[in-house]
Amino acid sequence: MKLLTVVAALLGAAMAAPTITLRDGSDVTIVHPGTVKDMKVTKENTLNGTYNGAQTKIVALSEISDRPGNSIPFEFVNNFSGRAVNAYIVGLDPQKRVVFVRQDGTLVYPSSGGSGVPVPVKESIKISLPGKGQKLSMSLPISLESGRIYFAEGELQFAMVRTGDGGDGLVQPSVTNLGDPSAGTDWGFVELTFTKEGAIYANISYVDFVGMILSMDLTTDDGTPKQVTKGLTNGAMQTICDGVRQQGSKDGRPWGKMCIANSAGAAVRVLSPNDYTVIDPNGFANYWESYVNQVWDKYSKQPLIVNTQGDAGNVSCKVSGGQISCPGDNLGFQKPSAADIWGCNSGPFENRGNGVHLAAVARICAAFVRTTLLLPGGNVQPSLPASAYYTANPTNHYGRLIHEHETDGRGYAFPYDDVNAGNENASGTVASGRPKTLTVYVGGYTA
């Protein structure tokens, strides 16, 4: 975020109702936004596409040759009480090229120009939303995969870079790079795929962070009811920031540091523990150690029943030889580290192995994140109701706070938030093969 003067920054923070100024910022993380030179190219924030030529190309709506049978109308409703909101629609076109879509349907194909370091996207790509209480209407004229609809209080910086395979990659804003040009901006996104057959998939998730509050609904042409993901309540980002700071004051862990503030002292997002670990690998290093040891001790004496909720049914697992072993599982589980538990995708929870192992990965990691393995009834996973999640310590207090402040329980707080004993639906997804209109609400849902 560019700051003209300190006074202007403080004034801007005061005028933006959805942000909070942290009087004592010692327990939060303050960002120091840089320039494009400070952007980092990682697999997490780079969208790899095919090479698009040495120069940026702009294609008018009337000149688009590869269009699906029908477009999908979008509506963006502005319920945000702060400064001006901008949207950015980006993804890969049918030829896997990085493309931005303007409000009028014009396509912008940015180019790295062959540069091995990020170069800024200078063309006009933002879509300016009207004021609070108003909506913007437009249509997506092409199919799009690995897409995102970004929304930001202000502007975001994107860049292009030549990838190792000779393609063009989009370097997107990063929440774990404290020097990213967009680090001081409040933003969020909706994940989006629109197929050439006209099907749509859109998702809101809090697996990585909580930023600008977004909600959405989808109407269809097939007679099915409107699909709604309300997600977090308006103002939840600030409330969750307060919550993690309070938790840090209780247990001495760096929960408050997961709250990210700009240089004016205003909170702009809250990172998940998994993403915070990128910034501070040692902050939670031994957080789960005692709990893991207790779990290993308990299940060396009695079985842990994993309900695969599939063809394998219930499998009776037990600690043997230092690892949890399950019948039919070709790998087993060594003791996980804190990073393994936060991300559910490394160490013993790496996404590999046979069907029984993969089913056990999801259910055992979910049980760790929610701290249900030592509760009465926790010897069967999953079996306990959502009311039992996050009720013991240590636990994932970020996940606890996410679900406390969700309006409808929709939106994952960690990768396996869909693991439940009953019919709870934590997915933030809306999808249809015959969509009519996708509406995104910025700053809280209104029917």
Side-chain angles (χ1 to χ4, degrees), residues 166-198:
D168 263 348
L170 176 72
V171 187
Q172 302 171 99
S174 169
V175 296
T176 58
N177 176 9
L178 303 182
D180 188 277
S182 304
T185 302
D186 179 8
W187 56 270
F189 61 80
V190 172
E191 298 173 327
L192 175 71
T193 293
F194 181 55
T195 71
K196 63 181 180 180
E197 293 79 19

Short mmCIF file of all heavy atoms in Angstrom, two decimals, residues 166-198:
data_model
loop_
_atom_site.label_atom_id
_atom_site.label_comp_id
_atom_site.label_asym_id
_atom_site.label_seq_id
_atom_site.Cartn_x
_atom_site.Cartn_y
_atom_site.Cartn_z
N GLY A 166 9.30 -22.48 -19.48
CA GLY A 166 9.15 -21.60 -20.62
C GLY A 166 7.80 -20.93 -20.73
O GLY A 166 7.53 -20.24 -21.72
N GLY A 167 6.96 -21.10 -19.72
CA GLY A 167 5.65 -20.47 -19.74
C GLY A 167 5.67 -19.11 -19.07
O GLY A 167 6.73 -18.58 -18.70
N ASP A 168 4.50 -18.52 -18.92
CA ASP A 168 4.34 -17.26 -18.22
C ASP A 168 3.56 -17.51 -16.94
O ASP A 168 2.47 -18.12 -16.97
CB ASP A 168 3.57 -16.25 -19.09
CG ASP A 168 4.51 -15.30 -19.82
OD1 ASP A 168 5.71 -15.27 -19.48
OD2 ASP A 168 4.04 -14.59 -20.72
N GLY A 169 4.09 -17.04 -15.81
CA GLY A 169 3.43 -17.24 -14.53
C GLY A 169 2.97 -15.93 -13.93
O GLY A 169 3.64 -14.91 -14.04
N LEU A 170 1.79 -15.97 -13.30
CA LEU A 170 1.26 -14.81 -12.61
C LEU A 170 1.67 -14.88 -11.14
O LEU A 170 1.33 -15.83 -10.44
CB LEU A 170 -0.26 -14.77 -12.72
CG LEU A 170 -0.94 -13.64 -11.94
CD1 LEU A 170 -0.68 -12.29 -12.61
CD2 LEU A 170 -2.44 -13.89 -11.81
N VAL A 171 2.38 -13.87 -10.66
CA VAL A 171 2.75 -13.78 -9.25
C VAL A 171 1.66 -12.97 -8.56
O VAL A 171 1.47 -11.78 -8.85
CB VAL A 171 4.13 -13.11 -9.06
CG1 VAL A 171 4.54 -13.20 -7.61
CG2 VAL A 171 5.17 -13.77 -9.95
N GLN A 172 0.95 -13.63 -7.67
CA GLN A 172 -0.20 -13.04 -7.01
C GLN A 172 0.16 -12.50 -5.62
O GLN A 172 1.20 -12.87 -5.07
CB GLN A 172 -1.31 -14.09 -6.91
CG GLN A 172 -1.72 -14.64 -8.27
CD GLN A 172 -2.66 -15.82 -8.20
OE1 GLN A 172 -3.87 -15.68 -8.35
NE2 GLN A 172 -2.10 -17.00 -7.97
N PRO A 173 -0.67 -11.63 -5.06
CA PRO A 173 -0.40 -11.13 -3.70
C PRO A 173 -0.22 -12.28 -2.73
O PRO A 173 -0.92 -13.29 -2.80
CB PRO A 173 -1.66 -10.32 -3.38
CG PRO A 173 -2.17 -9.87 -4.72
CD PRO A 173 -1.88 -11.02 -5.64
N SER A 174 0.73 -12.13 -1.82
CA SER A 174 1.07 -13.18 -0.86
C SER A 174 0.77 -12.72 0.56
O SER A 174 1.12 -11.59 0.94
CB SER A 174 2.56 -13.54 -0.98
OG SER A 174 2.97 -14.36 0.10
N VAL A 175 0.14 -13.59 1.35
CA VAL A 175 -0.15 -13.24 2.74
C VAL A 175 1.01 -13.59 3.67
O VAL A 175 1.03 -13.15 4.82
CB VAL A 175 -1.44 -13.94 3.24
CG1 VAL A 175 -2.64 -13.45 2.46
CG2 VAL A 175 -1.31 -15.45 3.18
N THR A 176 1.97 -14.37 3.20
CA THR A 176 3.09 -14.77 4.04
C THR A 176 4.36 -13.97 3.77
O THR A 176 5.36 -14.14 4.46
CB THR A 176 3.40 -16.27 3.88
OG1 THR A 176 3.68 -16.55 2.50
CG2 THR A 176 2.21 -17.11 4.33
N ASN A 177 4.34 -13.13 2.75
CA ASN A 177 5.47 -12.25 2.45
C ASN A 177 5.16 -10.87 3.01
O ASN A 177 4.36 -10.12 2.45
CB ASN A 177 5.69 -12.17 0.93
CG ASN A 177 6.78 -11.19 0.55
OD1 ASN A 177 7.51 -10.67 1.40
ND2 ASN A 177 6.90 -10.92 -0.74
N LEU A 178 5.79 -10.53 4.13
CA LEU A 178 5.48 -9.28 4.82
C LEU A 178 5.95 -8.06 4.05
O LEU A 178 5.57 -6.93 4.39
CB LEU A 178 6.09 -9.29 6.22
CG LEU A 178 5.67 -10.46 7.12
CD1 LEU A 178 6.31 -10.34 8.49
CD2 LEU A 178 4.16 -10.54 7.23
N GLY A 179 6.76 -8.25 3.00
CA GLY A 179 7.22 -7.15 2.17
C GLY A 179 6.51 -7.08 0.83
O GLY A 179 6.88 -6.24 -0.01
N ASP A 180 5.50 -7.92 0.62
CA ASP A 180 4.75 -7.91 -0.62
C ASP A 180 4.11 -6.52 -0.81
O ASP A 180 3.66 -5.91 0.16
CB ASP A 180 3.66 -8.98 -0.58
CG ASP A 180 2.96 -9.17 -1.91
OD1 ASP A 180 2.02 -8.40 -2.19
OD2 ASP A 180 3.35 -10.07 -2.66
N PRO A 181 4.05 -6.01 -2.04
CA PRO A 181 3.45 -4.69 -2.27
C PRO A 181 2.02 -4.57 -1.75
O PRO A 181 1.57 -3.47 -1.41
CB PRO A 181 3.50 -4.52 -3.79
CG PRO A 181 4.59 -5.43 -4.24
CD PRO A 181 4.57 -6.59 -3.29
N SER A 182 1.30 -5.69 -1.70
CA SER A 182 -0.10 -5.67 -1.26
C SER A 182 -0.25 -6.09 0.20
O SER A 182 -1.38 -6.27 0.68
CB SER A 182 -0.94 -6.60 -2.14
OG SER A 182 -0.84 -6.26 -3.51
N ALA A 183 0.86 -6.21 0.92
CA ALA A 183 0.82 -6.73 2.29
C ALA A 183 -0.01 -5.87 3.23
O ALA A 183 -0.62 -6.38 4.18
CB ALA A 183 2.24 -6.88 2.83
N GLY A 184 -0.07 -4.57 3.00
CA GLY A 184 -0.81 -3.68 3.88
C GLY A 184 -2.24 -3.44 3.45
O GLY A 184 -2.92 -2.58 4.02
N THR A 185 -2.74 -4.20 2.49
CA THR A 185 -4.09 -4.02 1.95
C THR A 185 -5.01 -5.13 2.43
O THR A 185 -4.62 -6.31 2.49
CB THR A 185 -4.04 -4.03 0.41
OG1 THR A 185 -3.18 -2.99 -0.04
CG2 THR A 185 -5.43 -3.81 -0.19
N ASP A 186 -6.23 -4.76 2.78
CA ASP A 186 -7.25 -5.73 3.17
C ASP A 186 -7.85 -6.31 1.89
O ASP A 186 -8.43 -5.58 1.08
CB ASP A 186 -8.32 -5.02 4.01
CG ASP A 186 -9.45 -5.96 4.45
OD1 ASP A 186 -9.33 -7.18 4.25
OD2 ASP A 186 -10.45 -5.45 5.00
N TRP A 187 -7.69 -7.63 1.70
CA TRP A 187 -8.20 -8.27 0.49
C TRP A 187 -8.61 -9.70 0.77
O TRP A 187 -8.28 -10.28 1.80
CB TRP A 187 -7.20 -8.20 -0.66
CG TRP A 187 -5.83 -8.80 -0.40
CD1 TRP A 187 -4.74 -8.15 0.10
CD2 TRP A 187 -5.41 -10.15 -0.65
NE1 TRP A 187 -3.67 -9.02 0.20
CE2 TRP A 187 -4.05 -10.25 -0.26
CE3 TRP A 187 -6.04 -11.28 -1.16
CZ2 TRP A 187 -3.32 -11.43 -0.36
CZ3 TRP A 187 -5.32 -12.47 -1.27
CH2 TRP A 187 -3.97 -12.53 -0.87
N GLY A 188 -9.34 -10.26 -0.17
CA GLY A 188 -9.75 -11.66 -0.11
C GLY A 188 -10.12 -12.11 -1.51
O GLY A 188 -10.07 -11.32 -2.46
N PHE A 189 -10.48 -13.38 -1.65
CA PHE A 189 -10.85 -13.85 -2.99
C PHE A 189 -11.82 -15.02 -2.92
O PHE A 189 -11.93 -15.72 -1.91
CB PHE A 189 -9.61 -14.25 -3.81
CG PHE A 189 -8.79 -15.36 -3.22
CD1 PHE A 189 -9.16 -16.69 -3.38
CD2 PHE A 189 -7.62 -15.09 -2.52
CE1 PHE A 189 -8.40 -17.73 -2.84
CE2 PHE A 189 -6.85 -16.11 -1.97
CZ PHE A 189 -7.24 -17.43 -2.15
N VAL A 190 -12.52 -15.19 -4.04
CA VAL A 190 -13.37 -16.36 -4.28
C VAL A 190 -12.67 -17.21 -5.32
O VAL A 190 -12.23 -16.70 -6.37
CB VAL A 190 -14.75 -15.93 -4.81
CG1 VAL A 190 -15.57 -17.14 -5.25
CG2 VAL A 190 -15.51 -15.13 -3.76
N GLU A 191 -12.51 -18.50 -5.04
CA GLU A 191 -11.95 -19.42 -6.03
C GLU A 191 -13.01 -19.71 -7.09
O GLU A 191 -14.20 -19.85 -6.77
CB GLU A 191 -11.51 -20.71 -5.36
CG GLU A 191 -10.41 -20.52 -4.33
CD GLU A 191 -10.11 -21.79 -3.54
OE1 GLU A 191 -11.05 -22.57 -3.30
OE2 GLU A 191 -8.95 -21.97 -3.15
N LEU A 192 -12.58 -19.83 -8.34
CA LEU A 192 -13.55 -19.92 -9.43
C LEU A 192 -13.06 -20.82 -10.55
O LEU A 192 -11.91 -20.72 -10.99
CB LEU A 192 -13.81 -18.52 -10.00
CG LEU A 192 -14.72 -18.44 -11.23
CD1 LEU A 192 -16.16 -18.74 -10.85
CD2 LEU A 192 -14.61 -17.05 -11.87
N THR A 193 -13.95 -21.69 -11.03
CA THR A 193 -13.75 -22.42 -12.28
C THR A 193 -15.05 -22.35 -13.06
O THR A 193 -16.13 -22.59 -12.52
CB THR A 193 -13.36 -23.89 -12.02
OG1 THR A 193 -12.06 -23.94 -11.42
CG2 THR A 193 -13.34 -24.68 -13.33
N PHE A 194 -14.95 -21.99 -14.35
CA PHE A 194 -16.10 -21.96 -15.25
C PHE A 194 -15.70 -22.75 -16.49
O PHE A 194 -14.79 -22.37 -17.22
CB PHE A 194 -16.46 -20.52 -15.60
CG PHE A 194 -17.65 -20.39 -16.51
CD1 PHE A 194 -18.87 -20.97 -16.19
CD2 PHE A 194 -17.56 -19.66 -17.69
CE1 PHE A 194 -19.97 -20.85 -17.02
CE2 PHE A 194 -18.66 -19.53 -18.54
CZ PHE A 194 -19.86 -20.12 -18.19
N THR A 195 -16.36 -23.87 -16.73
CA THR A 195 -15.95 -24.79 -17.79
C THR A 195 -16.53 -24.39 -19.15
O THR A 195 -17.49 -23.62 -19.25
CB THR A 195 -16.39 -26.22 -17.49
OG1 THR A 195 -17.82 -26.32 -17.63
CG2 THR A 195 -16.00 -26.63 -16.07
N LYS A 196 -15.94 -24.96 -20.19
CA LYS A 196 -16.42 -24.68 -21.55
C LYS A 196 -17.82 -25.23 -21.77
O LYS A 196 -18.53 -24.80 -22.68
CB LYS A 196 -15.45 -25.25 -22.58
CG LYS A 196 -15.31 -26.77 -22.53
CD LYS A 196 -14.30 -27.26 -23.57
CE LYS A 196 -14.15 -28.77 -23.54
NZ LYS A 196 -13.17 -29.25 -24.54
N GLU A 197 -18.23 -26.18 -20.91
CA GLU A 197 -19.59 -26.72 -21.00
C GLU A 197 -20.60 -25.83 -20.27
O GLU A 197 -21.80 -26.10 -20.30
CB GLU A 197 -19.65 -28.13 -20.42
CG GLU A 197 -18.88 -29.17 -21.22
CD GLU A 197 -17.38 -29.15 -20.96
OE1 GLU A 197 -16.98 -28.59 -19.91
OE2 GLU A 197 -16.62 -29.68 -21.79
N GLY A 198 -20.09 -24.80 -19.57
CA GLY A 198 -20.98 -23.87 -18.89
C GLY A 198 -21.23 -24.18 -17.43
O GLY A 198 -22.10 -23.58 -16.80
#
